[in-house]
Amino acid sequence: MQITPLLNDGYAGEPAKRVLNYVQDHRQAGDPVVGIYCGYAPIELIQAMGIVPAVLCAFSKVPIAAAETVLPANLCPLIKSSYGFIIEGTCPFYAMSQAVIAETTCDGKKKMFELIADIKPTHVMDLPQVPDEAEARSNWKQMIVKLQGFLETHFDRQADEEKIEASLQAANRKNALMRRIFDYAARVPSVLHWKEMYDLSFLAIAATGQEMVPLLEPLPDILEQRVREGFHVGPPKAPRVLVTGCPVGGDATKIFNTIEVAGGVVVAPDACTGMKAFMGEFAENSGDPIGAMAERYLKIPCACMTPNERRLTDLSAMIGHFKPDAVIDFVLQACHAYNVESFKIGRHVEEVHGLPFLKIETDYSDADTEQLRTRIEALFESI
Ligand code: SF4
Ligand code: SF4
């Protein structure tokens, strides 16, 4: 069945091309661009200052060989790919960025940021990693205030509390609409393909709430039409899969493709490149918009946090909502945080939810695709 594409906004094309056009348009209009890598980058502050946050390239195997001339081979492919793109000069988003905003998440990334700081101004935010400590909120708020100072100094752009509050409120509307769209993947059977979720997420991170809301508002009607016409993604009884773990993009999307080849449907891509960025809400009209921002960001359940019980509670909520038949934990090789945490995730999924669980540890190469398919098919047989 021919389905109506979700976005007809003049930014047609592959996700990266669409976002590239968006960033280029802003750059030509004179707006500064900063590169970001992580879900903790406070994009609402950056956008409130009239600056575009561009997610930097990190998901291709191609630049990894170049990166390995400097970085150890047994490092996470996401870090090697990020660095390789920079030294090879092949990330167009990095080329357009006038600075990089970074956070102290995992050790490999922290050390990589030291290397790229020699190439372009790089502002590193000290992320508290025990998010429930009493000081965490005020410390992270201070880091966001410092970022604001860095951006003011480098780009001569300002945002008062009113602008930041408006940015938070627009982000809440954008995120609520994104969740409403994701709800169509929660339907049984799903009417929303993972590529569409991925495509939308990519753009929705770069674009402001004010820009995204009019783009997103018509989409539920298009999806309703799919429901009326009886369209669904994959066979109606296909195993539904929630994919959690490390970020998935570019060459790492082999995991989603392999799930489909094995006969399944991805109904919940729960990672920073998927749904995670749009979960949760900023407190509105709190009188302290930067504090509200700090509070919401510290709730992101990244494995770099300890303890990370929120990942379990959020996962339970997602399982309840998206009704998966199985959970796959996607772990990039040498990512110790997600790798070690996987044990708890598997135990939680199996014991609390009674669902089959599979941990997949992989990199960006295609070498294990057949082996992954066999393991995923075996998982589906256990349903
Ligand atoms: S998984 Fe953690 S470190 Fe990686 S992008 Fe997400 S929040 Fe950042
Ligand atoms: S996947 Fe893991 S090791 Fe790689 S950058 Fe993210 S947190 Fe760090």
Side-chain angles (χ1 to χ4, degrees):
M1 182 188 299
Q2 187 70 27
I3 61 166
T4 314
L6 277 185
L7 290 177
N8 280 312
D9 57 347
Y11 288 117
E14 289 300 303
K17 181 87 173 85
R18 180 194 298 276
V19 184
L20 190 60
N21 289 341
Y22 170 85
V23 178
Q24 268 166 347
D25 283 357
H26 275 271
R27 192 82 173 84
Q28 276 162 15
D31 292 336
V33 176
V34 294
I36 60 167
Y37 280 112
C38 177
Y40 288 106
I43 53 175
E44 295 74 17
L45 172 78
I46 299 169
Q47 292 165 335
M49 298 178 79
I51 300 169
V52 179
V55 178
L56 300 177
C57 306
F59 292 110
S60 167
K61 57 182 169 290
V62 175
I64 285 183
E68 286 179 352
T69 61
V70 177
L71 301 176
N74 65 341
L75 189 66
C76 144
L78 195 154
I79 302 172
K80 288 191 289 187
S81 181
S82 306
Y83 186 66
F85 268 114
I86 289 178
I87 59 172
E88 287 200 317
T90 44
C91 172
F93 298 102
Y94 183 77
M96 280 192 284
S97 299
Q98 291 139 288
V100 174
I101 310 305
E103 303 77 15
T104 54
T105 51
C106 63
D107 289 349
K109 257 196 184 165
K110 276 189 296 222
K111 292 288 132 183
M112 192 265 285
F113 293 143
E114 288 178 21
L115 299 178
I116 65 171
D118 290 340
I119 309 170
K120 202 168 267 200
T122 301
H123 179 83
V124 179
M125 303 174 75
D126 186 7
L127 178 71
Q129 300 201 347
V130 187
D132 297 326
E133 281 292 329
E135 302 81 9
R137 182 187 185 276
S138 59
N139 289 352
W140 187 231
K141 181 184 163 184
Q142 276 313 310
M143 287 300 132
I144 301 176
V145 171
K146 274 194 172 176
L147 170 65
Q148 188 175 12
F150 170 85
L151 296 172
E152 279 171 1
T153 308
H154 276 75
F155 302 113
D156 194 23
R157 294 271 173 134
Q158 280 80 30
D160 57 16
E161 285 206 348
E162 212 174 304
K163 264 194 179 166
I164 301 171
E165 176 67 36
S167 178
L168 291 191
Q169 294 191 10
N172 274 345
R173 289 199 298 282
K174 166 176 83 173
N175 296 349
L177 272 164
M178 288 294 282
R179 293 195 298 272
R180 200 171 144 210
I181 291 162
F182 295 150
D183 282 349
Y184 286 86
R187 297 184 69 94
V188 184
S190 163
V191 297
L192 185 64
H193 195 269
W194 69 261
K195 277 189 186 143
E196 295 174 309
M197 294 188 252
Y198 174 66
D199 187 355
L200 275 181
S201 303
F202 214 153
L203 183 63
I205 287 173
T208 65
Q210 288 91 341
E211 290 165 320
M212 278 310 287
V213 165
L215 210 60
L216 297 175
E217 269 171 342
L219 305 195
D221 283 346
I222 295 175
L223 291 161
E224 278 301 329
Q225 191 185 336
R226 289 185 188 178
V227 175
R228 281 196 304 276
E229 289 173 356
F231 168 82
H232 44 78
V233 176
K237 299 248 183 268
R240 301 166 62 83
V241 186
L242 184 155
V243 182
T244 183
C246 295
V248 180
D251 287 334
T253 58
K254 69 177 181 182
I255 183 66
F256 297 153
N257 288 320
T258 309
I259 289 168
E260 284 188 339
V261 170
V265 172
V266 178
V267 293
D270 157 47
C272 292
T273 41
M275 296 176 167
K276 212 179 258 177
F278 309 101
M279 299 298 166
E281 285 195 351
F282 298 102
E284 295 188 6
N285 301 313
S286 63
D288 178 15
I290 294 192
M293 208 181 293
E295 202 164 308
R296 148 81 178 78
Y297 273 98
L298 284 178
K299 287 185 180 149
I300 295 176
C302 173
C304 69
M305 294 294 182
T306 186
N308 194 22
E309 294 306 309
R310 250 180 225 110
R311 181 147 176 233
L312 302 182
T313 42
D314 284 10
L315 192 57
S316 285
M318 288 193 83
I319 289 173
H321 190 62
F322 289 93
K323 304 172 276 296
D325 300 307
V327 173
I328 292 180
D329 196 13
F330 177 79
V331 178
L332 287 172
Q333 275 168 9
C335 175
H336 303 317
Y338 276 96
N339 202 348
V340 174
E341 195 163 274
S342 189
F343 174 76
K344 275 184 154 187
I345 300 299
R347 193 174 56 188
H348 182 77
V349 167
E350 287 171 350
E351 293 180 3
V352 177
H353 296 282
L355 289 176
F357 172 82
L358 178 66
K359 170 181 159 185
I360 281 176
E361 199 181 338
T362 187
D363 60 9
Y364 289 175
S365 78
D366 301 323
D368 60 353
T369 309
E370 273 310 295
Q371 188 206 46
L372 293 183
R373 186 173 59 81
T374 308
R375 293 182 64 204
I376 293 169
E377 281 171 354
L379 174 77
F380 291 165
E381 276 163 24
S382 73
I383 293 171

